[in-house]
């Protein structure tokens, strides 16, 4: 199974990164919910098990 995480920018301009991994369907759902909440630059990134992304910026 592949793992995915997300990075995004909050509506107030704060860069963020998910602290959890998702499967593809869950990552797609999370991306849609973030965008609906006003987040920008939402990216789904393939990760290795246990890997944490750093926020952009």
């Amino acid at each position: 199974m592949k793992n995915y995480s997300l990075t995004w920018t909050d509506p107030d301009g704060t860069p963020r990164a998910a602290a959890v991994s998702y499967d593809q369907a869950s990552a797609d759902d999370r991306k849609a919910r973030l965008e609906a909440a006003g987040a920008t630059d939402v990216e789904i990134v393939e990760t290795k098990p246990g890997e944490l992304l750093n926020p952009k910026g």
Side-chain angles (χ1 to χ4, degrees):
M1 178 172 99
K2 292 186 179 183
N3 296 293
Y4 299 91
S5 194
L6 290 101
T7 61
W8 69 93
T9 302
D10 279 347
D12 67 1
T14 304
R16 303 282 184 186
V20 297
S21 293
Y22 299 94
D23 61 20
Q24 183 67 57
S26 297
D28 291 338
D29 180 65
R30 181 68 175 135
K31 179 179 179 179
R33 289 185 287 128
L34 285 166
E35 291 172 336
T40 58
D41 299 322
V42 183
E43 266 190 66
I44 297 174
V45 180
E46 188 174 343
T47 58
K48 295 178 181 164
E51 180 181 5
L52 294 176
L53 299 177
N54 290 318
K56 295 179 189 177

